[in-house]
Amino acid sequence: VRALEEVTSVDLGTAGNFAILSKAGISTVPTSAITGDIGVSPLAAEAITGFTLIQDDTDRSRSTSVQVTGFAYGAHYASPTPSTMTTAIGDMERAYTDAAGRTVAA
C-alpha cells in the first residue's frame, strides 16, 4: 500500500485577489456576471471590452461595471494600480510556472 503524498496548493500570491487577471485582455457579452475583481496588465483598461467600464472621477485607480461585482483595473490607472497590477501579473506567472512544473505520482 502506497502512502498518499501531501499535495500543497499553488500559491497565487496577489493574483488570487482577482476573479480574472490577464496579460492579453478580457472580453465579455452583456449577460456576464462576474463576482470579484478583474484586471489587465501591462495593458490599459481599454483591453477590457464589453463591460461598459465607468471610472469614478474621485478614484481614478479603478472602474466599475454592472457586470462585475467588484472592480476593474488597468495598468494605466492612477497609483497604486500600476504597481499592484505588475505584482499580480508576476504572481500569476510564478503560480503558473509552479503548477506546470509539478508532476503527479503514478
Side-chain angles (χ1 to χ4, degrees):
V1 174
R2 202 174 151 164
L4 293 176
E5 293 181 39
E6 182 179 332
V7 178
T8 58
S9 62
V10 174
D11 181 6
L12 299 177
T14 61
N17 296 336
F18 292 87
I20 302 173
L21 181 61
S22 174
K23 290 176 64 175
I26 302 169
S27 296
T28 191
V29 295
T31 57
S32 295
I34 298 167
T35 301
D37 294 339
I38 63 174
V40 293
S41 182
L43 306 169
E46 288 76 20
I48 302 174
T49 61
F51 286 92
T52 312
L53 298 180
I54 301 165
Q55 193 171 27
D56 187 331
D57 287 333
T58 60
D59 185 352
R60 308 289 294 167
S61 69
R62 61 191 183 193
S63 290
T64 59
S65 170
V66 296
Q67 294 170 268
V68 179
T69 302
F71 295 102
Y73 297 90
H76 74 297
Y77 281 176
S79 185
T81 300
S83 175
T84 300
M85 296 308 301
T86 298
T87 301
I89 290 293
D91 289 349
M92 175 184 74
E93 291 171 332
R94 279 185 286 285
Y96 176 85
T97 300
D98 175 19
R102 293 181 181 203
T103 58
V104 178

